[in-house]
Amino acid sequence: MSSNSLLELQGLQKHYPVGGGLFTPLVGVVRAVDGVSFAIGEGETLGLVGESGCGKSTLGRLVLRLEHPTAGHALFRGRDIFRLQGLELKGFRRQVQMIFQDPQSSLDPRMTVGDSVGEALLIHGMQVGKERGERVEELFLKVGLEREHIHRYPHEFSGGQKQRVGIARALATSPRLLVADEPVSALDLSIQAQILNLMKDLQEDLGLSYLFIAHDLGVIRYVANRVAVMYLGKIVELSRKEEVFSFPLHPYTEALLSAALPPRAGRRRWPRILLGGEVPSPMNPPGGCPFHPRCHRAFAPCPTVVPQATEVDGRLVVCHLWG
Ligand code: SF4
């Protein structure tokens, strides 16, 4: 583990058997996460990007230890999170929290939002009585809400305000790492910017690290320090943000950029690339390079030879063009 890594994933896999129940034969395996390795440093934001169904959210759930892996390790401050028990596990749960796409899902409509945030403290046995109330108030102010909001119910809030409450709840236990799964994709554009700015301010203020999961490259470009591009359960490119956006190495990254960020005057011109077809089933991925049926740069070895991870100027890419 590098000295300042907060989290390090080593060959993490999550495969789901299909069938294989009491009355059904095993018909296959869905390789949702298929050998993912990367690290997140203290105070860093790693953007995880890819089309829906590529395994991003499953990876997020593994990092939160809401799922158990089929193979591989996830080290948080050097300890394998899947081996933690008792007090160590409780400590881990405090230090790694989640920001949801739909904040409503973490808020009980029958509870005031103040009680919902206080509940997070209660669950983790942190602060009681007056102290808990003071901590809730402090959290509300930190996320840009006001004292009087504490006694209101979720239906009285806009989407952006609800996400602020969701962030306050996630911050209640003073975490070090936040897994944010599409935290702004359900919000209007103008509100998205406010929530992203809030997350950046909180990061600076509290020294937080983020695993920021999104399909929107514009959002990733705004928040991330490094970018991991995921396709069919694997990381196909991992680079510093500036490098990804100025010179993508992997043809899939190139295609995502071409679709999301049309060239502007004075900037490098992207070739116009149409990313055809659907993401293939992770139960039956294509042979060779799994991206080859959709790749605009595919050549002779691609349908039959599996590309290996290669380091190019400190960047990681999985493609025969660089192997
Ligand atoms: Fe495209 Fe071949 Fe590279 Fe796969 S290995 S991304 S098919 S060029």
Side-chain angles (χ1 to χ4, degrees):
M1 189 172 83
S2 66
S3 55
N4 68 344
S5 288
L6 184 64
L7 177 80
E8 182 168 3
L9 308 185
Q10 299 175 342
L12 207 55
Q13 290 183 358
K14 182 65 187 177
H15 295 175
Y16 298 99
V18 178
L22 211 50
F23 304 108
T24 49
L26 181 69
V27 292
V29 172
V30 171
R31 298 166 188 274
V33 174
D34 203 16
V36 167
S37 301
F38 60 65
I40 301 180
E42 299 269 6
E44 184 187 33
T45 299
L46 181 78
L48 181 61
V49 70
E51 292 161 286
S52 65
C54 72
K56 307 186 296 287
S57 293
T58 306
L59 187 58
R61 291 174 60 77
L62 284 166
V63 168
L64 288 155
R65 222 193 100 149
L66 299 175
E67 301 259 8
H68 216 77
T70 310
H73 303 281
L75 309 182
F76 182 78
R77 293 197 153 143
R79 305 294 306 274
D80 191 335
I81 66 169
F82 301 111
R83 290 176 185 265
L84 299 179
Q85 290 182 326
L87 282 178
E88 280 192 323
L89 179 56
K90 273 190 169 175
F92 169 77
R93 296 241 180 264
R94 282 184 193 172
Q95 292 188 73
V96 183
Q97 289 282 322
M98 175 161 199
I99 301 175
F100 295 88
Q101 175 180 7
D102 173 15
Q104 186 81 34
S105 60
S106 65
L107 299 175
D108 185 334
R110 297 159 303 177
M111 285 170 90
T112 66
V113 290
D115 284 343
S116 279
V117 173
E119 189 189 36
L121 295 166
L122 182 71
I123 290 168
H124 292 276
M126 299 170 80
Q127 283 130 340
V128 288
K130 190 163 162 273
E131 271 186 26
R132 187 178 298 155
E134 287 169 359
R135 174 74 175 140
V136 170
E137 192 175 307
E138 182 194 343
L139 288 162
F140 268 64
L141 298 179
K142 207 169 240 336
V143 299
L145 293 168
E146 290 167 24
R147 280 186 187 83
E148 51 265 35
H149 287 136
I150 291 172
H151 306 292
R152 296 190 190 161
Y153 289 86
H155 72 267
E156 297 177 74
F157 289 90
S158 66
Q161 285 174 319
K162 271 188 247 182
Q163 192 53 291
R164 286 178 192 268
V165 176
I167 293 171
R169 194 181 148 97
L171 290 179
T173 58
S174 303
R176 305 310 305 148
L177 173 66
L178 289 171
V179 177
D181 192 355
E182 301 277 7
V184 296
S185 60
L187 303 174
D188 292 344
L189 269 184
S190 59
I191 309 297
Q192 284 190 6
Q194 292 175 16
I195 296 296
L196 294 176
N197 284 334
L198 171 66
M199 290 179 69
K200 284 176 104 169
D201 290 346
L202 290 169
Q203 179 171 45
E204 214 173 291
D205 195 18
L206 304 172
L208 299 167
S209 302
Y210 291 119
L211 173 58
F212 198 107
I213 300 170
H215 69 280
D216 183 335
L217 275 165
V219 168
I220 291 286
R221 181 183 220 170
Y222 192 63
V223 296
N225 303 112
R226 285 185 304 141
V227 180
V229 182
M230 196 166 182
Y231 189 76
L232 280 181
K234 296 177 189 291
I235 302 299
V236 296
E237 176 165 358
L238 178 58
S239 299
R240 285 176 290 276
K241 185 215 359 219
E242 300 74 22
E243 294 166 337
V244 167
F245 286 93
S246 60
F247 187 67
L249 295 178
H250 197 281
Y252 179 55
T253 316
E254 210 177 15
L256 289 178
L257 282 170
S258 162
L261 305 171
R264 278 199 237 142
R267 286 226 191 114
R268 181 179 189 271
R269 290 194 73 78
W270 302 112
R272 190 82 190 112
I273 302 160
L274 283 179
L275 190 53
E278 298 286 309
V279 181
S281 163
M283 197 168 111
N284 193 18
C289 171
F291 185 55
H292 84 262
R294 305 172 78 197
C295 182
H296 57 286
R297 295 190 188 275
F299 61 116
C302 300
T304 51
V305 183
V306 179
Q308 301 301 313
T310 310
E311 205 185 302
V312 180
D313 297 333
R315 305 168 65 180
L316 178 137
V317 61
V318 186
C319 172
H320 289 307
L321 290 169
W322 301 95

